[in-house]
Amino acid sequence: QVQLQESGPGLVKPSETLSLTCTVSGGSISSNYWSWIRQPPGKGLEWIGYIHYSGSTNYNPSLKSRFTMSVDTSKSQFSLKLNSVTAADTAVYYCARQVLYGSGNFWTYYFDYWGQGTLVTVSS
Amino acid sequence: SYELTQSPSVSVSPGQTASIRCSGDKLGDEYVSWYQKKPGQSPLLVIYQNTKRPSGIPGRFSGSKSANTATLTISGTQLMDEADYFCQAYDSTIPVVFGGGTKLTVL
């Protein structure tokens, strides 16, 4: 059973950098894709981006390019950095395993394992 | 940008059938997944590839799709099914798109 666990500070000051890490256990990080998803209070789910174990990334183009993801396969961890945070970045941040399925021109991604989520509050 | 549209809320009586819909201009050519989200818990995948149920998801959850509308159906709805439900699909411009979510109330 794959398990994911987010870690990082719960409180970040405006304009600072948020750093979160997700530790994967019960399965190999060297397969599939690994994503970060957030949910602001009272709002819906927002996909931030994914990283492949090879290090390739894909970010949500709707978000400003303040996000950076990295992976450390030796530690079975992947990480998220968000620069210049504002109150709008206050959210529960989830890491998740992103499965790619399909063939030809018919593809999909879905998320089968999720971390418990970590609340990040941006406030001075 | 591509959007998936869901009704904000659906109400159902216990034991009845709940239908939660998700519409999008390209859904006819895409796979849809559905997630259940309860307060304080992480999202749970309940349907993937339009109709498939992950192991451990009760048989009362089913998915279907017709043209540009996907439907999550909960047959014999139970109190424990009260939650927010999000649809999700793939788009070539933004690989992952979530619907705005539907709050299912069981009363």
Side-chain angles (χ1 to χ4, degrees):
Chain A
Q1 179 82 349
V2 176
Q3 293 184 313
L4 297 91
Q5 178 68 59
E6 304 90 350
S7 59
L11 181 64
V12 182
K13 291 182 168 56
S15 79
E16 294 188 344
T17 296
L18 164 65
S19 295
L20 296 174
T21 295
C22 182
T23 302
V24 179
S25 60
S28 175
I29 198 171
S30 298
S31 64
N32 293 295
Y33 297 78
W34 304 92
S35 269
W36 290 96
I37 296 156
R38 68 181 181 180
Q39 184 176 31
K43 296 189 177 180
L45 299 172
E46 182 174 50
W47 176 73
I48 297 171
Y50 71 65
I51 186 164
H52 189 252
Y53 72 90
S54 63
S56 65
T57 56
N58 194 333
Y59 300 105
N60 186 336
S62 301
L63 301 173
K64 294 183 179 179
S65 55
R66 298 182 293 124
F67 293 94
T68 304
M69 294 182 187
S70 60
V71 62
D72 185 339
T73 55
S74 66
K75 294 182 179 179
S76 288
Q77 293 178 336
F78 62 102
S79 299
L80 174 72
K81 288 189 186 299
L82 173 58
N83 299 321
S84 305
V85 299
T86 69
D89 296 310
T90 294
V92 176
Y93 286 76
Y94 297 96
C95 57
R97 189 174 81 167
Q98 181 169 332
V99 178
L100 173 64
Y101 173 85
S103 63
N105 294 322
F106 203 21
W107 294 92
T108 191
Y109 288 110
Y110 57 90
F111 305 95
D112 58 352
Y113 292 101
W114 296 67
Q116 65 184 26
T118 185
L119 174 62
V120 175
T121 301
V122 179
S123 175
S124 56
Chain B
S1 63
Y2 185 49
E3 293 185 355
L4 298 178
T5 302
Q6 297 182 241
S7 298
S9 63
V10 168
S11 296
V12 65
S13 300
Q16 298 304 303
T17 297
S19 296
I20 299 171
R21 294 179 176 80
C22 172
S23 62
D25 290 344
K26 308 174 190 177
L27 275 190
D29 297 324
E30 298 172 350
Y31 288 109
V32 176
S33 302
W34 290 93
Y35 303 86
Q36 178 192 69
K37 175 71 173 66
K38 295 182 178 180
Q41 296 183 20
S42 54
L44 174 68
L45 177 69
V46 294
I47 294 290
Y48 66 103
Q49 293 172 30
N50 297 332
T51 61
K52 296 182 179 180
R53 268 183 297 109
S55 174
I57 300 302
R60 63 180 181 274
F61 288 87
S62 63
S64 62
K65 190 162 66 76
S66 177
N68 292 332
T69 299
T71 303
L72 172 68
T73 301
I74 309 173
S75 304
T77 306
Q78 300 184 9
L79 290 174
M80 68 172 64
D81 300 328
E82 187 164 284
D84 294 328
Y85 291 86
F86 294 89
C87 59
Q88 176 251 313
Y90 167 87
D91 179 67
S92 59
T93 58
I94 169 175
V96 176
V97 180
F98 285 102
T102 297
K103 180 177 181 60
L104 176 66
T105 301
V106 183
L107 47 68

